[in-house]
Amino acid sequence: MDQLVIAGGQPLTGEVEVSGAKNAALPILCASLLTARPLVVDNVPELRDVGTLLRLLGDMGVLVERAPRRVTLCAESLKEAVAPYEWVKTMRASILVLGPLLARFGRARVSLPGGCAIGERPVDLHIKGLQAMGARLEVTHGDLVGEAERLRGARIFMDKVTVTGTENLMMAATLAEGTTILENAAREPEVVDLAECLVAMGARIRGHGTDVLTIEGVPELSGATHRVMPDRIEAGTFLVAAAATGGEIRLSGARPRTLDAILDKLVEANASVECQGDQIRLRMRGPNHGVSLRTAPYPAFPTDMQAQFMAMNAVAQGTTVVTETIFENRFMHVQELRRMGANIEVEGNAAIIRGVPRLEGATVMATDLRASAGLVIAGLIAEGETVVDRIYHLDRGYEKLEEKFSCLGASMRRRVAGGNA
Ligand code: EPZ
């Protein structure tokens, strides 16, 4: 397995471009199933998860044409409405084909996503909502098998805020008979980006960005061209890395208004942040104060930034508390940070971090996408060499990570498994 080799201790300085958002691109690519016309998607990041999804859609019979950062998809007819385990086990977001398949083709067989490192991650709310729209769904041999003559609009209250659950039901509702109301819907910017793509395809959606979505079904959708929003978590990751190393960086191609909670916490940690158009500049006003935080659905602090801030807090002045309220097992990076000298106690869903003067480089293991990002930041802070193992987790969600960090002055290189790099 590939590894990242990092020589830490240098402040990051320079400029880097933000890529398209993974968590917007994935549902938008699935929206191609809702129409027989071509869907052109721009600013698609080159990521492992995107590659996985495009192969899955291609296996179903969607015509997929890839150009640099642009994908054209056409689901005029399908070979099979099936998402097999081999794909779903590597990427849970494959569940996002379920709603579109039932809405347009009336049938679907999608392997039930198992749990993952950060938690059990059930899809009961996806199932419950689709059943409320008239789909018949049952689990047989580990697959979710669904049928529906034509989905019909329904009023659905989601008793947990679920990002992909909201996305699946919103996509299904675009072709349902009648109007669907989703209450307690997710407000994440990626949900809004998907909604804007669906509206461009002719869907009738109101309320995106709020917790009540109203979708009036239409007989069919047309093609469209949509540019994926910038990745707010990638942007946040670079900003935290700069703050944690006492550096000064500028991001371009960002969408600052989607990072409010992240920027607020960085300012609280003693960073100076300036936003102008699609640019975000960060430098430290003085020592890193660290910052306590509590993850929650958007617009509150995002769980996908929790590990990165914990790495910064590990060398902050004073004690901070990080509380994770979304996933039940999202502290896998704690024991790895401890191995680098961090002083962290975990009590239930709270981690108490007592800042230490320095971290020491070590060989650490990545366990999930964002925990890996936290370990990379720890490696950038630490004295000496850090080797992050199993970085295929990182490749799922960060485009050209070592190149981008090298542009910011980091000493970071990829050691290819079995190679002599
Ligand atoms: C999306 O996952 C993101 N993935 C995750 O990003 C992100 O961490 C998460 O939202 C929270 O913001 C994509 O968008 C592809 P949820 P999702 O459904 O939709 C519970 C990354 O690093 N729940 O919002 O799977 C669930 O267990 C990834 O890019 C149910 O109980 O998350 C969790 O506790 C990691 N039943 C909470 O809701 C359901 O049917 C929020 O999960 C669905 C969810």
Side-chain angles (χ1 to χ4, degrees):
M1 291 172 191
D2 288 6
Q3 297 176 323
L4 270 188
V5 181
I6 305 167
Q10 295 125 311
L12 296 183
T13 57
E15 178 173 341
V16 77
E17 174 95 19
V18 176
S19 298
K22 167 178 83 84
N23 290 349
L26 294 176
I28 286 166
L29 294 172
C30 293
S32 62
L33 292 165
L34 290 167
T35 175
R37 308 295 303 145
L39 176 63
V40 179
V41 188
D42 275 327
N43 200 31
V44 178
E46 305 278 337
L47 299 171
R48 183 188 284 255
D49 275 5
V50 168
T52 301
L53 181 58
L54 292 176
R55 277 194 299 278
L56 165 60
L57 292 170
D59 284 0
M60 285 182 182
V62 179
L63 299 180
V64 177
E65 193 184 307
R66 294 190 76 166
R69 296 208 187 303
R70 164 173 280 204
V71 180
T72 302
L73 306 102
C74 190
E76 194 170 0
S77 61
L78 277 198
K79 274 191 310 217
E80 52 180 16
V82 175
Y85 182 67
E86 65 170 311
W87 297 122
V88 178
K89 73 180 178 191
T90 62
M91 188 190 61
R92 316 172 33 71
S94 310
I95 190 74
L96 286 165
V97 303
L98 181 63
L101 287 174
L102 286 173
R104 176 139 175 261
F105 300 99
R107 66 188 194 285
R109 183 179 191 102
V110 177
S111 170
L112 202 54
C116 78
I118 63 177
E120 186 209 340
R121 302 184 72 182
V123 289
D124 56 308
L125 300 177
H126 300 236
I127 294 167
K128 193 174 150 201
L130 291 166
Q131 287 172 331
M133 292 175 166
R136 292 178 300 287
L137 281 160
E138 58 181 24
V139 178
T140 47
H141 303 293
D143 288 347
L144 254 179
V145 181
E147 281 182 341
E149 280 65 52
R150 183 172 181 200
L151 294 178
R152 55 177 186 278
R155 180 182 164 280
I156 300 165
F157 177 79
M158 308 171 86
D159 64 359
K160 268 197 175 182
V161 175
T162 160
V163 173
T164 50
T166 301
E167 291 166 345
N168 233 339
L169 299 181
M170 176 167 68
M171 287 193 281
T174 59
L175 295 176
E177 178 94 41
T179 299
T180 298
I181 296 177
L182 296 182
E183 296 197 353
N184 198 27
R187 300 166 56 186
E188 271 66 7
E190 294 77 18
V191 177
V192 174
D193 205 33
L194 170 64
E196 288 170 355
C197 176
L198 292 168
V199 167
M201 294 165 69
R204 295 200 191 127
I205 301 173
R206 295 194 314 276
H208 33 298
T210 76
D211 60 355
V212 179
L213 284 181
T214 303
I215 305 109
E216 206 180 311
V218 294
E220 62 178 18
L221 292 180
S222 62
T225 296
H226 180 81
R227 180 176 176 77
V228 172
M229 65 173 278
D231 194 314
R232 62 192 170 103
I233 304 301
E234 184 202 21
T237 301
F238 284 119
L239 292 169
V240 172
T245 56
E248 179 169 349
I249 68 166
R250 184 168 58 183
L251 300 184
S252 53
R255 187 174 290 178
R257 71 172 187 277
T258 61
L259 282 100
D260 285 349
I262 297 167
L263 299 181
D264 280 1
K265 288 296 177 185
L266 285 165
V267 169
E268 208 179 315
N270 206 18
S272 160
V273 175
E274 290 162 40
C275 300
Q276 192 165 10
D278 72 347
Q279 312 238 336
I280 303 176
R281 294 173 63 99
L282 176 139
R283 62 178 177 75
M284 294 306 281
R285 278 193 286 246
N288 158 16
H289 292 167
V291 62
S292 290
L293 57 93
R294 180 183 181 83
T295 67
Y298 193 88
F301 186 89
T303 173
D304 290 350
M305 284 300 304
Q306 179 255 104
Q308 299 91 316
F309 270 82
M310 192 182 289
M312 179 182 78
N313 287 349
V315 291
Q317 290 180 335
T319 297
T320 53
V321 179
V322 168
T323 307
E324 172 59 58
T325 71
I326 304 288
F327 292 113
E328 65 270 29
N329 189 34
R330 204 168 199 177
F331 283 154
M332 307 276 276
H333 40 287
V334 168
Q335 65 262 31
E336 297 302 290
L337 291 172
R338 282 190 190 126
R339 295 182 55 247
M340 298 175 75
N343 180 343
I344 306 174
E345 294 297 319
V346 172
E347 285 173 20
N349 68 342
I352 298 99
I353 304 115
R354 291 174 177 79
V356 293
R358 68 189 60 75
L359 294 179
E360 295 164 359
T363 296
V364 291
M365 189 172 77
T367 50
D368 62 271
L369 169 54
R370 306 304 175 181
S372 320
L375 295 178
V376 167
I377 291 172
L380 290 167
I381 299 168
E383 289 178 359
E385 181 175 272
T386 294
V387 177
V388 182
D389 207 351
R390 299 191 177 183
I391 57 164
Y392 59 85
H393 290 293
L394 278 170
D395 294 335
R396 297 189 49 185
Y398 287 95
E399 185 180 42
K400 299 189 176 64
L401 190 73
E402 65 268 33
E403 283 93 335
K404 291 193 175 187
F405 269 123
S406 301
C407 284
L408 296 175
S411 166
M412 188 184 292
R413 62 186 170 82
R414 180 180 291 257
R415 183 187 287 162
V416 177
N420 51 8

